[in-house]
């Protein structure tokens, strides 16, 4: 007869198994109504920004590599006994990549902010048409 196998689990696994399979629906916020057309416009504009970023990335990487192929003299220029082409491809490219990523994130966030502003203006217009609150006690706006 073989020895009995012991089941080893991490403490997190034991806690999760002890908790059971309870749904966590009570933790999720209830989503509001969705303007699908506005969401599609936002998605389309962010997709255009993503395509523009990928094109800029390709131009940057292939352009830098292509410039070294077209101008071999760049491989002969040395800085601390290392060819400048190697330095640019291994070290110099990262600030450019970081700048491109930062530009992309800011552009996507700007598009989201603009979509949110449009939605809040549109919702604000609906509130005024329903006779929203006024600042003056006599009912004048």
């Amino acid at each position: 007869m073989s020895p009995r196998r012991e089941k080893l689990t991490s403490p997190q696994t034991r806690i999760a198994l002890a908790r059971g399979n309870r749904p966590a629906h009570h933790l999720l916020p209830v989503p509001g109504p969705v303007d699908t057309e506005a969401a599609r416009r936002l998605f389309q504009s962010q997709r255009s920004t993503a395509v523009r970023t990928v094109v800029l990335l390709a131009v940057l990487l292939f352009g830098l590599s292509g410039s070294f192929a077209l101008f071999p003299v760049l491989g002969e220029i040395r800085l601390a006994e290392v060819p400048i082409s190697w330095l640019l491809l291994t070290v110099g490219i990262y600030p450019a990549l970081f700048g491109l990523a930062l530009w992309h994130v800011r552009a996507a966030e700007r598009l989201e902010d603009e979509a949110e502003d449009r939605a809040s203006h549109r919702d604000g217009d609906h509130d005024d048409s329903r006779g929203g609150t006024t600042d003056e006690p006599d009912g004048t706006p």
Side-chain angles (χ1 to χ4, degrees), residues 26-137:
H26 63 284
L27 301 176
L28 300 174
V30 177
V34 177
D35 183 4
T36 54
E37 190 56 39
R40 282 188 183 123
R41 283 192 305 267
L42 175 62
F43 180 73
Q44 177 64 35
S45 59
Q46 285 185 330
R47 186 171 36 191
S48 299
T49 302
V51 168
R52 192 175 314 127
T53 302
V54 169
V55 168
L56 286 173
L57 177 65
V59 167
L60 176 70
L61 294 178
F62 291 120
L64 191 59
S65 299
S67 66
F68 296 140
L70 289 174
F71 305 108
V73 72
L74 292 174
E76 297 170 6
I77 301 172
R78 297 183 178 273
L79 181 67
E81 308 242 352
V82 179
I84 196 84
S85 60
W86 282 57
L87 285 174
L88 285 174
L89 285 172
T90 57
V91 179
I93 197 71
Y94 290 106
L97 292 176
F98 179 76
L100 184 62
L102 188 64
W103 172 82
H104 176 75
V105 168
R106 287 189 176 169
E109 288 175 347
R110 181 179 38 81
L111 290 170
E112 288 176 1
D113 290 342
E114 289 171 359
E116 188 175 316
D117 288 344
R118 281 193 301 269
S120 66
H121 287 305
R122 187 175 53 247
D123 291 343
D125 292 342
H126 291 306
D127 289 342
D128 291 341
S129 64
R130 284 185 269 157
T133 62
T134 60
D135 295 332
E136 299 299 321

